[in-house]
Amino acid sequence: EGSRVVATVKGTILDLWCGEGLVIDSIRNAGFEGKIIGVDPLIDILNRLIERRSNDKNITLIQGSGLNIPLESNSVDGVSCL
């Protein structure tokens, strides 16, 4: 069910608390080729995700929390928060 929803989203997906990127992997595996922005407060976890996803140039990772997301309003088309 979730992969069908992701496949219909166009544009940019925000993954809050992205951790080591399990949702990002699922989004890519579902066929989404758009931009993904991952936000997580822990820099060590983000660094592991950067290493693992270094070939995916359409991913932006930001250290931060869901309480103060450094993005403009209406700048994403879908959100994941697990």
Side-chain angles (χ1 to χ4, degrees), residues 45-62:
I45 288 178
L46 287 176
N47 284 334
R48 286 195 294 264
L49 180 53
I50 289 168
E51 288 177 21
R52 203 168 53 76
R53 281 284 183 182
S54 62
N55 292 331
D56 192 335
K57 303 304 180 200
N58 219 6
I59 293 177
T60 300
L61 299 173
I62 300 170

Side-chain angles (χ1 to χ4, degrees), residues 3 5-15 23-38 53 55-61 75-78:
S3 63
V5 172
V6 169
T8 64
V9 173
K10 306 292 183 214
T12 301
I13 293 178
L14 172 64
D15 183 13
V23 172
I24 290 173
D25 292 343
S26 294
I27 291 168
R28 284 290 185 243
N29 290 339
F32 181 75
E33 296 177 357
K35 182 174 182 174
I36 300 173
I37 301 171
R53 281 284 183 182
N55 292 331
D56 192 335
K57 303 304 180 200
N58 219 6
I59 293 177
T60 300
L61 299 173
S75 63
V76 299
D77 304 292

Side-chain angles (χ1 to χ4, degrees), residues 15-19 38-46 62-67:
D15 183 13
L16 287 175
W17 306 98
C18 64
V39 177
D40 198 279
L42 302 176
I43 193 66
D44 293 339
I45 288 178
L46 287 176
I62 300 170
Q63 183 182 12
S65 77
L67 301 176

